[in-house]
Amino acid sequence: MDARPAKDRKPARATTPLRFSPPWSESAPSSRAESRRKRRLAQPAAIRLAHWINIPLIVIMAGSGLQILAAYPALGPRGALYSWYPFQNDPPPSWLRFGGWLAGARHWHFAIAWFLILNGLIYLIYMIASGEWRRRVFIPTRDSSNAIAMFGYYLRIRRTPPPEDFYNGLQRMAYTSAILFGLVVVFSGLAIYKPVQLHWITAAFGGYDVARVVHLSCLVLLALFTVMHLVLVALHPRTIVTMVTGGPRG
């Protein structure tokens, strides 16, 4: 016991044990990041800008590429053309071509290609840095069942659509496929553009003639994606407004 009078005693100081961990929860940073993502516009400015810039670039690239194809409208090496290709020596329609002649089309094609690649790189960097890829890229473990259910709904096999999300599984699959096709187009184009200097890329595609087939095939697939995209936009015209204004936050 303390023998000192009560008046001489100093009040005991309340002590707080030292904390070696921050006073906030470890999940707070991730929750704040999630909150920021939820407050983000449906279509952020960087994605809208890349989208609208892509349109004229892809149109010029496709038209000039078809003009280049018209100079040799066949697939396969000379004297051993591929028998499976039904349009051997049939040039694309003139109204689809751009550039006037071979040299003019090559100038346009290879000049615009660098702007398209730069725009694509900025888009991908933004997607990764901002975390936008989480709600846009197809993740099989998350989106496969939703994509199957949505496909069944479109075929009228399923009466009701699956639960709504930012994008459904089929949309994520389509957009992710378009990105992959774009990457293949770039590398197969480099294989055709510099088959000697970049021989290792050309060899990876199985040779110059195979790289031409891959390049043209990806162009066709991207064209089909564009047609499907335009049809869906026509069915849901509000998406155009969202791609201009950014849409609601959430």
Side-chain angles (χ1 to χ4, degrees), residues 18-56:
L18 293 175
R19 301 182 64 121
F20 294 97
S21 59
W24 54 83
S25 170
E26 292 181 359
S27 62
S30 60
S31 63
R32 285 199 296 269
E34 183 66 25
S35 178
R36 284 196 300 270
R37 281 196 294 271
K38 288 181 178 179
R39 294 195 302 269
R40 194 172 294 162
L41 289 172
Q43 299 295 348
I47 289 180
R48 282 179 281 143
L49 184 61
H51 175 271
W52 293 114
I53 289 176
N54 262 343
I55 293 174

Side-chain angles (χ1 to χ4, degrees), residues 135-140 142-148 151 167-181 225 228:
R135 60 177 186 172
R136 296 173 187 272
V137 173
F138 181 82
I139 301 174
R142 179 192 65 187
D143 301 316
S144 295
S145 60
N146 184 277
I148 294 171
F151 186 66
Y167 283 146
N168 63 55
L170 280 181
Q171 286 175 309
R172 288 188 173 119
M173 182 183 292
Y175 293 144
T176 304
S177 298
I179 293 173
L180 295 177
F181 293 153
F225 167 81
M228 293 173 57

